[in-house]
Amino acid sequence: MILLTSSLSGYSQNLIEKSVEGNVDNLPVREHTITIRAEKVIKAGKKVMGMTINGSIPGPTLRFKEGEYAVIYVKNELDEETSVHWHGLLLPNFYDGVPYLTTPPIQPSETQKYEFPIKQSGTYWYHSHTMLQEQSGVYGSIVIEPKEESLEYDKELVMVLSDWTNEKPMSVLRFLKRGTEWYNWRKGTATPLNQVISRGALGAQFNFWRQRMESADIADIYYPAFLVNGQQTQEYPDFKPGEKVRLRIINGAASTQFWMTFGGGDPTIVSADGLDVMPVEHNKTFIAIAETYDFIVTIPEVGKMEFKITAQDGSGTASAFLGQGTTLSAPDVPRPDKIGMMKKMAKMDMRMGAPALKFRPGKDNPKELMSKWGMQMKDMDMSDQGMEMKSEMMDHSQMGEMQKKEEGMKMGSGKMDHSGMEGMKSDEQKMSGMAKMDMNNTEGETMDGMDMSLSSEYNYDYLKSPKATTYDKDVPVREVLLNLTGNMNRYIWSMNGIPLSETDKIKINEGEVTRITFNNLTMMHHPMHLHGHFFRVINENGEYSPLKHTVNVPPMQKVTIEFYGNEYGDWFFHCHILYHMMGGMARVVSYDTPRDPRMEPYPVSKLVHETNRFYSWGLADIGSHAGGLNLVASNIRNQFNAVVEYGWNENMEAEFSYEYYLYDYLTVFGGFNVENTTENSLDKINTIAVAGIRWFTPYMFNVDLRIDNELRPRVGIGRSLMLFPRFSIFGYYEYQIDVGAVNSLESNRDFEEEIVWNAGAEFMLSKNFSLMGSYDNRFGGGGGLSIRF
């Protein structure tokens, strides 16, 4: 036996088959047909265009029974391509549903047939894997009944959790790419300077600025509504007092993780990601995007119980009520204290801001990245012998000692069972132990409400498999280290500082255990999903560590998973925050087997291109003294800029440039500049070529160092700062010197200098409009309107 599991034990031999297509003639067939179309919907008080499945959001629940043969027809009535991925199902590679990687896209007006045997039971879901269609409504639930039910309950209820925006999802991503604080202000999670100072956190703020970060971030997007089964509030009055109800809960959100709380007593978790776990009472439960949890609850004898979801950043809730009578309210979850979080982090030796974009992407050195960034633990041996992840093959006799240590260790909380470790600790274990340091002894402040991975609420120790999930001791193990990296300013996400468009596949060897350590070097949680596999999530339960298909990796924390290589083909592996996946936090894991010939017309490059698209945006200033226009088109490495400034005193300057990102914070650029030499002289235009570098410095200054074809060097530096909610100030200073290297200077001067500066303030009225006032030494002073588009 290669793998011992709980829910999978009955068909573990199927897991090591190369293919499950064939020998299915005797299986009973269950058919479903779903139709995806564009329709007007109202989810957050406004009628907007969404995407429905069979006329609803979410789509219908597709029900099967273990041992059946599924046949699903997907009709595309959109005017664009679509796809469907069957999340968590073990199925043939060709039907996994990732367009251009495993499955052909479904073209408009076409119907695609998916067929595969049902080899498991539990709660799963399906969703589009095309661009951002999932955010628009293309998702639904899957329920698979077991051959023999092992749990006792009277009824069941499927609840799909999601987030909803009235904006077009691609417009949301484009807005994130341009980098503004509007979404944070709109949902009340911004940290303007006045609040920072009033909390005594100025030093902490400087620490963040030094590391090129505005603040500790939790979630990216403003959502006007969070939904349970498509509504902000749901009533289920038909449940009777005393009935035991199995709640099948799926987080189908695009970008929101939730806290789940229950009124009327603690519920019992019985399943995670479709597989049985040892029953455990657990009320306040964190559900990451794409995870599923099954609870059994008892309907109260008096009153109706509330099931509440709270967005991780505290920006909104949604509720469902089961039963009748007076409401038994679910506990509230306090809003995270971002400024408090910043103060705590400033007291720790933590290096943040690991690059999302490396200077040399072809040189992948994750151990070096891990040693330079993240938790820098003092008074601890950080040598390669203690810290490096061995990438060479290990036999299982070596792995056995590691396994003993893992079984005695509470991953994420740092609690150790020393009896299981024989008095031994590796340096990496010391770090995990330190990660759960007592945070309640710093100036009397506590961690309450803090959204930090240092809280044990974010580990999986409460999940225990009913049966052992370990592998044979003779199975070789290969270690893979994946640092999770990101850049909030440019909204690029990657692994090991390399986005999908610049990396190779992760090779998986058949008959080998692949152990992946996620080392999160960002300030956000990342729910990592591996298609086509279940993996062990190593926790304090050792050989009874649970099996999952999606694992949440908290900020500045490590999580280790492992799985046995028994599949074929290429499988997608990505962060399930939809906008992070589109920003590049994805990989392809490959068994290096021949590609299905049916995929020949569909190059994988089209999937990769989705994560490296050009996004364009602009800013127009219309003032009483001057006007300006700034246009940008950018992808991961390349950016085109057009800047035009015109003063009503007939003073004009325009610049057109191309820049290339060497890494996150440094670009080289070239272009040409057009300006008149003196005011009120548009007939005297000078055009020059320019080249130089642009650097985003510590403390978040934008620096421009250049030289033109007249050999005149110039330096410019600018900064903006949010002082109060919605109110920012900005300034820019530019100095150019001409020593006559090309031109003859007037009056035999040794040099001529030119200084340009401006300063002003901005008040955000809405996402797209701001009031602004400024003074420019070329144009004078005035005020007007800024328009973002």
Side-chain angles (χ1 to χ4, degrees):
M1 177 77 72
I2 295 295
L3 174 66
L4 296 174
T5 77
S6 53
S7 298
L8 299 183
S9 59
Y11 47 83
S12 58
Q13 288 300 318
N14 289 340
L15 292 178
I16 61 174
E17 292 176 355
K18 293 291 192 303
S19 172
V20 293
E21 295 177 278
N23 195 28
V24 296
D25 294 338
N26 296 325
L27 298 181
V29 176
R30 180 81 64 98
E31 289 190 5
H32 291 282
T33 299
I34 59 176
T35 301
I36 304 172
R37 64 171 62 95
E39 293 185 77
K40 291 281 190 178
V41 297
I42 301 176
K43 297 296 179 183
K46 181 180 179 182
K47 182 176 284 190
V48 297
M49 188 63 70
M51 295 180 180
T52 65
I53 304 177
N54 291 6
S56 67
I57 297 176
T61 299
L62 305 184
R63 292 187 174 271
F64 300 96
K65 189 166 185 177
E66 182 184 355
E68 292 181 336
Y69 190 76
V71 176
I72 308 172
Y73 297 96
V74 180
K75 297 181 178 181
N76 181 9
E77 294 187 359
L78 303 171
D79 58 3
E80 59 186 78
E81 293 179 356
T82 193
S83 60
V84 176
H85 164 57
W86 315 99
H87 189 108
L89 296 194
L90 300 169
L91 39 60
N93 181 263
F94 181 73
Y95 294 113
D96 188 54
V98 180
Y100 300 101
L101 179 65
T102 62
T103 311
I106 311 173
Q107 300 296 336
S109 303
E110 288 188 355
T111 298
Q112 190 166 106
K113 180 183 180 183
Y114 297 79
E115 53 181 323
F116 44 87
I118 300 295
K119 303 169 54 181
Q120 61 205 99
S121 62
T123 304
Y124 304 96
W125 66 300
Y126 61 96
H127 59 84
S128 171
H129 229 296
T130 299
M131 303 297 286
L132 299 171
Q133 290 180 357
E134 180 189 322
Q135 176 76 90
S136 295
V138 188
Y139 55 88
S141 53
I142 298 172
V143 173
I144 304 174
E145 300 175 9
K147 291 180 178 178
E148 295 183 6
E149 182 60 73
S150 59
L151 298 171
E152 294 184 3
Y153 54 93
D154 301 307
K155 295 178 180 178
E156 70 172 34
L157 175 63
V158 177
M159 292 198 289
V160 182
L161 321 180
S162 58
D163 43 30
W164 183 263
T165 174
N166 287 328
E167 301 177 58
K168 294 181 179 179
M170 287 304 295
S171 296
V172 171
L173 182 53
R174 182 169 62 91
F175 196 73
L176 293 170
K177 288 282 186 180
R178 73 184 298 160
T180 79
E181 281 289 297
W182 170 256
Y183 282 144
N184 278 332
W185 177 84
R186 184 64 181 83
K187 60 186 177 179
T189 60
T191 55
L193 194 59
N194 73 311
Q195 295 180 13
V196 169
I197 293 173
S198 69
R199 294 280 305 278
L202 187 58
Q205 181 67 82
F206 272 96
N207 179 60
F208 268 74
W209 286 340
R210 179 175 57 85
Q211 303 190 69
R212 300 182 176 94
M213 299 176 67
E214 192 64 51
S215 65
D217 205 22
I218 297 173
D220 302 320
I221 301 164
Y222 163 69
Y223 286 106
F226 301 100
L227 310 176
V228 176
N229 287 344
Q231 301 296 327
Q232 297 181 58
T233 302
Q234 291 279 7
E235 295 280 351
Y236 297 100
D238 294 337
F239 293 113
K240 307 301 181 185
E243 287 184 328
K244 291 185 179 296
V245 181
R246 179 174 187 165
L247 302 179
R248 299 179 180 267
I249 302 172
I250 301 158
N251 188 352
S255 187
T256 306
Q257 333 240 33
F258 295 105
W259 289 107
M260 302 182 292
T261 54
F262 298 77
D266 290 341
T268 300
I269 294 178
V270 295
S271 176
D273 284 0
L275 305 184
D276 289 347
V277 296
M278 293 295 292
V280 58
E281 289 188 354
H282 207 265
N283 196 326
K284 182 186 175 187
T285 303
F286 185 77
I287 182 169
I289 297 164
E291 289 185 318
T292 73
Y293 282 98
D294 288 20
F295 293 84
I296 290 182
V297 300
T298 301
I299 303 300
E301 292 296 333
V302 178
K304 59 182 178 182
M305 63 173 293
E306 179 186 18
F307 166 72
K308 179 189 287 186
I309 59 171
T310 303
Q312 184 188 8
D313 65 353
S315 60
T317 66
S319 292
F321 299 91
L322 284 65
Q324 300 182 25
T326 303
T327 298
L328 302 175
S329 298
D332 292 329
V333 177
R335 180 185 286 263
D337 180 2
K338 290 178 62 174
I339 295 177
M341 185 191 312
M342 292 165 61
K343 293 173 68 176
K344 297 294 183 183
M345 294 173 61
K347 298 179 185 300
M348 302 168 65
D349 190 8
M350 182 183 297
R351 191 178 180 199
M352 301 174 287
L357 202 60
K358 293 180 63 175
F359 176 63
R360 298 173 62 186
K363 187 179 180 181
D364 189 1
N365 192 342
K367 293 177 287 185
E368 180 180 348
L369 196 65
M370 180 176 69
S371 68
K372 290 184 176 180
W373 302 90
M375 288 285 219
Q376 307 295 310
M377 307 311 295
K378 297 178 180 179
D379 303 320
M380 186 175 295
D381 177 17
M382 297 293 289
S383 64
D384 286 345
Q385 291 85 357
M387 286 303 301
E388 79 176 14
M389 302 293 294
K390 295 179 175 61
S391 59
E392 66 270 16
M393 297 290 293
M394 300 169 55
D395 64 32
H396 223 283
S397 62
Q398 292 173 295
M399 188 247 183
E401 289 302 314
M402 296 177 63
Q403 181 65 36
K404 290 178 183 178
K405 298 174 185 179
E406 288 172 349
E407 291 173 9
M409 178 177 179
K410 187 165 187 173
M411 300 295 290
S413 71
K415 295 180 180 177
M416 306 281 186
D417 178 359
H418 293 276
S419 64
M421 295 181 62
E422 300 178 0
M424 300 170 62
K425 288 184 182 179
S426 69
D427 286 339
E428 188 168 355
Q429 288 169 324
K430 291 178 185 178
M431 287 191 69
S432 290
M434 290 293 291
K436 185 57 175 69
M437 63 185 67
D438 181 5
M439 299 297 292
N440 295 326
N441 297 325
T442 306
E443 297 181 358
E445 297 174 350
T446 70
M447 292 285 285
D448 293 343
M450 272 188 60
D451 183 39
M452 275 293 290
S453 62
L454 304 176
S455 168
S456 61
E457 293 177 307
Y458 292 115
N459 65 42
Y460 289 99
D461 290 340
Y462 57 90
L463 297 182
K464 182 178 181 179
S465 172
K467 295 185 179 179
T469 59
T470 50
Y471 309 101
D472 287 347
K473 65 179 181 179
D474 297 326
V475 178
V477 177
R478 176 171 174 261
E479 298 272 359
V480 175
L481 172 62
L482 294 177
N483 297 285
L484 306 182
T485 44
N487 182 324
M488 284 295 298
N489 294 307
R490 299 191 62 230
Y491 213 76
I492 293 172
W493 301 92
S494 57
M495 302 184 202
N496 292 337
I498 308 171
L500 177 65
S501 59
E502 297 185 347
T503 189
D504 294 325
K505 300 174 181 178
I506 298 174
K507 296 297 178 62
I508 305 297
N509 297 321
E510 180 187 1
E512 177 180 285
V513 169
T514 299
R515 180 182 292 124
I516 298 176
T517 296
F518 297 109
N519 182 39
N520 189 352
L521 296 179
T522 79
M523 292 309 303
M524 298 193 69
H525 292 244
H526 297 288
M528 305 302 297
H529 171 51
L530 175 59
H531 287 222
H533 298 72
F534 279 83
F535 46 73
R536 301 181 72 234
V537 179
I538 308 300
N539 68 4
E540 71 168 4
N541 297 308
E543 63 178 306
Y544 295 93
S545 293
L547 292 168
K548 299 181 92 276
H549 52 61
T550 304
V551 62
N552 175 58
V553 187
M556 295 295 171
Q557 260 296 352
K558 295 179 185 178
V559 174
T560 299
I561 68 169
E562 59 184 18
F563 60 93
Y564 179 75
N566 52 15
E567 280 291 348
Y568 64 96
D570 292 349
W571 300 89
F572 211 34
F573 184 30
H574 61 94
C575 176
H576 222 286
I577 295 177
L578 205 55
Y579 299 90
H580 291 187
M581 179 187 73
M582 288 286 291
M585 189 176 278
R587 286 289 189 274
V588 173
V589 298
S590 175
Y591 285 84
D592 206 21
T593 53
R595 196 170 192 229
D596 193 305
R598 292 172 287 185
M599 293 301 297
E600 186 174 345
Y602 307 100
V604 179
S605 59
K606 292 201 69 173
L607 172 69
V608 174
H609 174 70
E610 289 185 4
T611 66
N612 195 25
R613 293 165 55 97
F614 270 91
Y615 295 86
S616 59
W617 57 87
L619 174 68
D621 289 330
I622 304 173
S624 60
H625 58 313
L629 180 66
N630 189 346
L631 302 175
V632 176
S634 180
N635 69 355
I636 287 178
R637 290 278 183 183
N638 306 281
Q639 185 162 305
F640 297 91
N641 309 285
V643 181
V644 179
E645 297 175 299
Y646 181 79
W648 309 136
N649 57 3
E650 296 190 2
N651 197 340
M652 183 273 291
E653 182 176 359
E655 183 169 290
F656 305 90
S657 64
Y658 161 78
E659 58 186 310
Y660 179 82
Y661 279 85
L662 298 175
Y663 76 109
D664 279 19
Y665 309 119
L666 184 67
T667 70
V668 293
F669 73 92
F672 62 95
N673 185 281
V674 179
E675 63 178 331
N676 57 337
T677 54
T678 59
E679 63 183 61
N680 299 311
S681 59
L682 290 179
D683 57 331
K684 298 178 181 180
I685 297 295
N686 187 29
T687 301
I688 57 174
V690 297
I693 64 172
R694 292 180 176 130
W695 180 34
F696 185 58
T697 75
Y699 299 100
M700 305 182 72
F701 288 91
N702 289 290
V703 173
D704 183 307
L705 301 172
R706 64 172 64 191
I707 194 166
D708 62 26
N709 63 321
E710 297 178 357
L711 300 183
R712 297 178 300 178
R714 191 179 95 180
V715 59
I717 184 169
R719 177 75 156 90
S720 64
L721 180 65
M722 180 179 285
L723 290 182
F724 305 99
R726 295 200 285 174
F727 181 81
S728 301
I729 58 173
F730 57 86
Y732 177 76
Y733 179 86
E734 176 185 298
Y735 179 82
Q736 179 175 280
I737 188 170
D738 186 349
V739 297
V742 174
N743 300 321
S744 297
L745 303 181
E746 295 181 2
S747 304
N748 295 319
R749 295 177 181 174
D750 292 331
F751 66 91
E752 291 181 352
E753 61 182 6
E754 181 181 351
I755 296 175
V756 172
W757 65 270
N758 62 58
E762 175 187 12
F763 182 81
M764 288 190 292
L765 298 172
S766 68
K767 177 184 174 184
N768 300 113
F769 297 95
S770 293
L771 295 176
M772 66 87 182
S774 68
Y775 181 87
D776 189 293
N777 70 331
R778 298 165 298 172
F779 312 134
L785 190 68
S786 288
I787 306 171
R788 292 175 288 274
F789 57 92

